[in-house]
Amino acid sequence: MWSWSGAMSTTATHPHGFAATPSALHTLQGATMGTRWSVKLVAAATALPGLERGIQACLDQVVEQMSTWRDDSDISRYNRAEAGSTHTLPAEFAQVLDAALALAADTDGAYDPTVGPLTDAWGFGPIGARAQAPDDDALSRARRRVDWRRLAYDPAQRRLSQPGGACLDLSSIAKGYGIDRVADWLLAQGIADCLVEVGGELRGHGRKPDGSAWRVAVEQPGGSDEEAAAVITLDGLSIATSGDYRRYFDAGQRRYSHTLDPHSGAPIDNTVASVTVLHPHCMHADALATALTVLGAHAGMAYANRRRLAALFVLREGDGLVTRTTPGFVARQRCA
């Protein structure tokens, strides 16, 4: 999660108080993916209606293709398709699946886009919330359906076969992709200065009218609004965080996080409270934050260092929290 660092003006002004240019800092907002989107951008006021429509159209397309919460989406149609059927994916869907499968292979399945049956079994999917853990039989049935290697996929033709019972869940990557779609679309419209946010993940370009940077503070799990794990400047950079404190349910003496380990079939049970990843593309930052959270403190940090990722881990140690950062993250933090 993020928060603003520093005050923000709402217009570019001349020293005498009147508008210096036809462009000013504006905020556009809307709803998507079960949350809210917000875009801060420098543009002429006359351009705002068209920009708002374009932003919403970018995000609506992602929902129409990849939302498991919509029965008529492309991903929902695939998930309920008969075994042996083959599906030609839209180009955007295929791009996200390509990235998801590449990360699944690179993390030996710690990240797995076929985790949908487990998402439903634990009550974090469209079927509905749970107040207790699933029984062993239900969990065993779900686990048998989870394995990215079951997918027969031809990326050149964008053709994906349904092996039977496969249930894709791209919620840990599609939101980041939606942010990339919006940011790339705005840049193509000549909007060079913007900060795009959907549900706490962000991508920034350029500067505010006063020349100051887009600076965001990384939330400290369980901390107050004044506490931050880090402050980062976003210019051609995205930030995404995965944490065990965001969505969960309590049953008995245990807290069950929405971040699931595809290997165990259960919510993560490690010392990681949150992982924040910086990357030029929010799609990759989003998915990598989840993957590193599942891998855990030791394996996750080792993976992040091997891949030279900019990552910040917040770890539970005794009754407190400690932070661990990769060299790439430290370098970015120094630029903030």
Side-chain angles (χ1 to χ4, degrees):
M1 186 61 72
W2 60 276
S3 61
W4 290 108
S5 177
M8 295 185 63
S9 61
T10 56
T11 59
T13 58
H14 187 276
H16 295 296
F18 54 85
T21 70
S23 294
L25 181 59
H26 302 277
T27 301
L28 300 175
Q29 295 179 321
T32 189
M33 306 182 199
T35 185
R36 302 288 297 176
W37 64 263
S38 174
V39 175
K40 295 184 182 295
L41 49 80
V42 180
T46 54
L48 297 181
L51 293 173
E52 184 175 6
R53 288 193 297 271
I55 292 167
Q56 191 68 60
C58 288
L59 296 170
D60 287 349
Q61 184 182 58
V62 176
V63 171
E64 289 164 5
Q65 293 184 14
M66 292 172 257
S67 172
T68 57
W69 297 77
R70 282 186 53 160
D71 290 339
D72 60 346
S73 68
D74 292 283
I75 197 170
S76 292
R77 286 194 290 269
Y78 171 82
N79 286 344
R80 62 174 178 265
E82 294 182 356
S85 59
T86 303
H87 307 258
T88 300
L89 305 182
E92 298 79 12
F93 189 164
Q95 182 181 351
V96 175
L97 184 61
D98 285 345
L101 290 175
L103 186 57
D106 201 45
T107 60
D108 193 26
Y111 183 88
D112 192 327
T114 68
V115 76
L118 291 173
T119 303
D120 288 336
W122 285 97
F124 297 114
I127 289 180
R130 298 183 60 91
Q132 58 185 10
D135 61 41
D136 290 343
D137 287 342
L139 193 56
S140 178
R141 290 193 299 271
R143 291 182 65 186
R144 286 196 293 270
R145 298 168 57 195
V146 176
D147 189 343
W148 63 276
R149 294 167 297 186
R150 296 178 64 222
L151 300 179
Y153 177 55
D154 179 355
Q157 301 297 318
R158 307 200 309 269
R159 301 277 285 176
L160 177 66
S161 297
Q162 170 58 269
C167 183
L168 292 174
D169 181 350
L170 300 175
S171 59
S172 61
I173 189 171
K175 184 171 63 173
Y177 174 75
I179 291 171
D180 287 335
R181 288 276 293 171
V182 170
D184 290 341
W185 183 82
L186 288 172
L187 292 173
Q189 308 311 304
I191 305 300
D193 305 296
C194 59
L195 182 67
V196 181
E197 182 264 328
V198 178
E201 324 298 10
L202 302 99
R203 177 170 152 181
H205 290 273
R207 299 266 169 166
K208 290 180 276 185
D210 63 4
S212 62
W214 306 111
R215 299 178 74 237
V216 298
V218 181
E219 182 184 45
Q220 180 85 336
S224 67
D225 292 341
E226 290 76 26
E227 293 178 297
V231 177
I232 297 295
T233 294
L234 299 184
D235 185 2
L237 193 65
S238 301
I239 184 168
T241 297
S242 176
D244 68 359
Y245 61 97
R246 287 195 166 182
R247 288 181 60 204
Y248 58 85
F249 69 88
D250 292 319
Q253 302 299 310
R254 173 99 186 260
R255 173 163 292 183
Y256 296 95
S257 165
H258 80 286
T259 303
L260 305 173
D261 183 342
H263 294 148
S264 69
I268 58 169
D269 184 18
N270 57 37
T271 61
V272 176
S274 70
V275 177
T276 296
V277 175
L278 307 177
H279 195 282
H281 300 287
C282 201
M283 173 177 71
H284 295 299
D286 199 6
L288 283 164
T290 297
L292 295 178
T293 301
V294 173
L295 284 168
H298 179 73
M301 182 62 77
Y303 177 91
N305 284 323
R306 285 198 306 273
R307 295 293 181 262
R308 297 184 179 180
L309 301 176
L312 179 150
F313 290 70
V314 179
L315 309 176
R316 303 188 190 280
E317 190 173 279
D319 295 330
L321 297 171
V322 296
T323 60
R324 299 285 185 268
T325 53
T326 64
F329 193 96
V330 173
R332 293 287 189 178
Q333 196 172 4
R334 286 174 180 160
C335 296

